[in-house]
Amino acid sequence: MSTRNRPQKRVNDLISTCMDSNEGFLKAAKGIHDDELRETLTRIANRRAEMADELRRSAEGLGGQPAQRGHGGGVLRGGWVDLEQRIRPKDDATFVAECRRGENGTLTHYRDALDSGVLPEDARGIAARHLAEIEQTLEELRLIEERAKTGTQALRA
């Protein structure tokens, strides 16, 4: 891989990762029984789509073609699994646990990109901001999972 293309490849990896995350959260939201939790997962999914769009603008600024899809067919890579096939029908806590597992994969992609040292300054700033959001989401999911396991109401968004 040429040095010149490495920043573009890293940004495109993050775009694909956000698209995988978006798809995973949307699939989980379809299986969730609790309306508030479904809204929370849909909100997170929508934010991942927005994050992909922010990164697309950065990729365009690098002069390259932004990624248009997730990794190798969607949620099958990058920590996200095919939730519809794997955990249906199960309880909400299981869906949330799978979301956390997938989002940990998203976190890994972001950390790797930031640690690579090849992201241009604007993309690095976007990625750092996104990383903080992903960490917040993981904490929110942890709390929701705890509440779902104990049978209490899901965390209100």
Side-chain angles (χ1 to χ4, degrees):
M1 161 178 12
S2 81
T3 305
R4 190 173 67 89
N5 291 332
R6 288 181 73 206
Q8 181 72 43
K9 288 181 188 266
R10 284 292 183 166
V11 172
N12 277 343
D13 175 67
L14 294 179
I15 293 168
S16 293
T17 298
C18 287
M19 294 173 75
D20 290 343
S21 182
N22 167 267
E23 186 177 346
F25 279 114
L26 287 175
K27 284 186 177 195
K30 285 181 185 177
I32 290 292
H33 302 97
D34 181 83
D35 291 338
E36 287 182 49
L37 183 51
R38 184 178 310 107
E39 288 176 21
T40 297
L41 296 183
T42 301
R43 173 184 50 80
I44 295 168
N46 291 339
R47 180 60 190 134
R48 293 303 172 268
E50 292 168 0
M51 290 164 66
D53 288 341
E54 290 176 35
L55 289 162
R56 279 190 192 97
R57 288 188 291 277
S58 180
E60 289 167 353
L62 293 171
Q65 180 66 33
Q68 298 300 314
R69 63 181 76 147
H71 294 101
V75 297
L76 299 177
R77 291 184 46 177
W80 284 101
V81 295
D82 192 345
L83 293 168
E84 287 179 321
Q85 296 300 319
R86 183 142 188 235
I87 63 175
R88 218 175 248 185
K90 294 198 179 172
D91 60 29
D92 289 354
T94 304
F95 277 100
V96 174
E98 288 297 325
C99 287
R100 278 184 61 202
R101 198 163 68 81
E103 198 66 347
N104 274 316
T106 302
L107 184 72
T108 298
H109 278 266
Y110 268 85
R111 284 183 176 156
D112 288 349
L114 286 165
D115 291 346
S116 73
V118 301
L119 292 177
E121 194 60 38
D122 70 319
R124 186 169 183 71
I126 293 167
R129 186 171 34 81
H130 289 180
L131 179 71
E133 287 185 54
I134 293 162
E135 289 171 337
Q136 275 185 304
T137 298
L138 281 166
E139 179 60 17
E140 181 179 10
L141 292 172
R142 185 189 67 75
L143 294 171
I144 290 169
E145 185 179 5
E146 281 180 15
R147 290 180 178 158
K149 283 180 181 176
T150 61
T152 59
Q153 279 191 330
L155 181 66
R156 296 186 192 271

